[in-house]
Amino acid sequence: MGTPRTAAPRGFVCTCGFHASRPFGRCPQCGEWGSLQPRSASGAGGAAARAVPLSEVRGGEAPRLVTGWGELDRVLGGGLVPGSLVLLGGEPGIGKSTLLLQLMARLAARGTVLYASGEESLEQLALRAARLRITEPGLHALAEPRLEAVLAEATRARPSVLAVDSVQTLLLEEGSPGSPGAVREATARLLAHAKSGAAPLVLVGHVTKEGALAGPKTLEHLVDVVLLFEGEASSSYRVLRATKNRFGSTRELGVFEMRGEGLVEVPNPSALFLAERAAGASGSAVAACLEGSRPILVEVQALTAPASGPPRRAVLGVDPYRVALLLAVCARRAGVDVLGSDVFVNVAGGVRLSEPAADLAVVAAIASSASGRAVDPRAVCFGEVGLAGEVRASGAADLRLAEAGKLGFRRCVLPAACCKEARAAGGLELVAVKDVRGALSALLSVR
Ligand SMILES: Nc1ncnc2c1ncn2[C@@H]1O[C@H](COP(=O)(O)OP(=O)(O)O)[C@@H](O)[C@H]1O
Ligand SMILES: [Mg+2]
């Protein structure tokens, strides 16, 4: 078992001299397509590649950098992975720089970290740090939009984590900053930098109005993790979720509150999301949802009103197509016809629900608004609604019920198919339903 005399290719190299630890379709330095070759194979015919048993490959086991912020670590899948590139996206003003500065301050306790900003001056950064009461001496800042200079300083200082804010403001030698090409090239260069060392890199990217991250979708393919920081401008709650994660689930959710002194994690978001609920008002229903491994109760609100013209639809927090489908189901299967009315649907607290188990609450909120009858304020519900009006099973009924019980709810309207699993959870009165009609009569009958 000696070391083979012909070493395996170590990384890739371009004809322009650019080195990378992984192949690129296009060289991030010179922009040439297909020019990167395995290092030992460049020029000559190339050495044979040799596969190895995966079970014998060591590495990739370096410990993650844990921020100690439970909400963030969970979304990351257990902390930052060495050598990874994390893209932190969100609308301007949502709090990306704040989150990043606080994150870096937490990591600075264990080694020097570098926060490079192309958006703000050192004075502005210091002002924010003072407001956030950040005093860690290990947090170094650089106000520098030129990518080359940022990379040079990172190479010299070798921080344990590098933050770059933002990809749109980075200046390359040529091309205008923020253009799709420049953004992509800057990201590719930063990726090569991250892969060449062990330090994770967090890159901020502004989300355009259309919701695209930093313009081209290709950016999301380049990076290891895409985090989205979301929330309503009017609300102080912020939700962090991973839309891509090579090292963890994309179903986890982190909840923060934006305060004057910075972002504070919200360990029990259900209580917070329901805090301002006008219990007993029509058009409001509580959904027992599951975001990742965590049960979360949220208020779904609906308002229906006579249309003056073509019926309008405005939907926040749930998939608008799903709502369109549910409106049709309400009309055809439950006798609640608001197809000709204006319909507004909102999920309180700026949460975005991704699971179909929220269907039943959407239907209940719409039917409640249309009929003027309030949903039982002590009841929660969950269940996917099918086109035939049937209520389908959703997973983890026990987790949902436990959360509802914890928050003082007394009844749960749930798919009949979930009842067996749910009985074990106990505590709440369970109302098993097979279809939307049954669900609505259970939810709307109590005044
Ligand atoms: N002096 C302040 N007091 C309280 N909150 C502030 C203050 N300054 C900024 N903020 C909050 O921080 C947000 C801006 O955060 P920032 O991290 O700069 O956003 P982004 O980097 O996503 O553009 C503001 O929308 C506001 O909610
Ligand atoms: Mg910012």
Side-chain angles (χ1 to χ4, degrees):
M1 277 275 163
T3 316
R5 279 188 57 77
T6 333
R10 294 175 130 253
F12 297 81
V13 65
C14 176
T15 41
C16 74
F18 178 78
H19 293 273
S21 61
R22 51 166 286 223
F24 287 89
R26 184 186 187 190
C27 174
Q29 185 161 293
C30 68
E32 197 61 42
W33 285 94
S35 58
L36 264 81
Q37 297 293 331
R39 197 164 289 186
S40 67
S42 58
R50 191 166 302 165
V52 296
L54 198 51
S55 58
E56 287 174 17
V57 178
R58 291 282 163 263
E61 292 166 12
R64 293 183 183 226
L65 271 118
V66 177
T67 68
W69 244 358
E71 296 294 303
L72 179 62
D73 288 331
R74 200 182 45 250
V75 175
L76 284 169
L80 285 168
V81 171
S84 66
L85 175 51
V86 177
L87 184 62
L88 172 61
E91 288 179 14
I94 204 70
K96 299 180 295 298
S97 302
T98 308
L99 180 73
L100 192 51
L101 198 63
Q102 287 185 259
L103 156 73
M104 295 297 274
R106 286 176 161 267
L107 295 174
R110 267 164 291 152
T112 306
V113 298
L114 176 58
Y115 185 106
S117 176
E119 305 216 326
E120 285 148 310
S121 66
L122 284 177
E123 289 72 22
Q124 285 172 312
L125 290 175
L127 214 61
R128 176 179 292 133
R131 175 164 61 84
L132 304 176
R133 300 201 186 101
I134 289 172
T135 52
E136 279 75 10
L139 173 57
H140 289 200
L142 178 69
E144 177 58 73
R146 292 172 302 148
L147 176 64
E148 274 312 314
V150 171
L151 288 178
E153 175 59 7
T155 307
R156 187 198 66 77
R158 301 181 67 82
S160 56
V161 190
L162 172 63
V164 178
D165 186 2
S166 67
V167 68
Q168 278 91 355
T169 50
L170 283 175
L171 288 175
L172 303 164
E173 276 101 36
E174 49 195 64
S176 51
S179 69
V183 159
R184 208 163 44 223
E185 185 174 340
T187 307
R189 298 269 292 277
L190 288 166
L191 183 72
H193 177 82
K195 301 290 167 204
S196 68
L201 199 161
V202 187
L203 176 64
V204 167
H206 294 291
V207 170
T208 60
K209 278 198 202 73
E210 297 77 41
L213 239 173
K217 194 85 179 152
T218 44
L219 207 56
E220 302 183 17
H221 296 303
L222 282 177
V223 305
D224 298 306
V225 180
V226 179
L227 301 182
L228 274 188
F229 204 37
E230 302 172 316
E232 301 294 316
S234 55
S235 148
S236 60
Y237 310 130
R238 302 284 181 268
V239 173
L240 184 73
R241 65 167 78 239
T243 58
K244 167 180 179 176
N245 193 346
R246 285 190 176 139
F247 319 111
S249 160
T250 51
R251 298 192 56 203
E252 298 294 345
L253 188 88
V255 184
F256 296 86
E257 187 180 354
M258 176 67 92
R259 298 200 191 147
E261 70 270 24
L263 289 158
V264 181
E265 49 181 355
V266 178
N268 186 357
S270 299
L272 195 135
F273 291 143
L274 297 179
E276 292 169 60
R277 184 170 64 113
S282 65
S284 156
V286 177
C289 296
L290 199 74
E291 289 291 333
S293 57
R294 165 201 247 186
I296 175 167
L297 303 187
V298 284
E299 179 192 3
V300 179
Q301 302 173 323
L303 186 65
T304 61
S308 54
R312 281 189 297 161
R313 304 276 181 264
V315 177
L316 277 175
V318 270
D319 180 0
Y321 295 105
R322 192 105 207 139
V323 171
L325 181 153
L326 294 174
L327 286 172
V329 172
C330 281
R332 297 290 306 278
R333 311 288 183 192
V336 180
D337 190 345
V338 287
L339 292 174
S341 307
D342 288 345
V343 179
F344 307 98
V345 175
N346 178 42
V347 178
V351 188
R352 193 167 293 181
L353 299 178
S354 51
E355 53 152 17
D359 286 354
L360 206 49
V362 174
V363 167
I366 292 168
S368 166
S369 177
S371 67
R373 285 155 67 196
V375 171
D376 176 4
R378 299 164 310 154
V380 297
C381 60
F382 68 87
E384 178 180 347
V385 172
L387 285 179
E390 80 278 20
V391 175
R392 295 162 165 260
S394 311
D398 49 344
L399 287 179
R400 300 173 203 264
L401 286 165
E403 181 77 357
K406 224 163 43 185
L407 281 133
F409 286 91
R410 310 295 293 276
R411 293 171 80 215
C412 181
V413 175
L414 75 173
C418 291
C419 251
K420 208 161 158 198
E421 183 193 352
R423 269 196 220 301
L428 279 85
E429 178 199 341
L430 303 182
V431 186
V433 294
K434 287 208 160 81
D435 55 29
V436 173
R437 240 178 230 282
L440 290 182
S441 70
L443 284 164
L444 299 178
S445 60
V446 183
R447 297 228 57 181

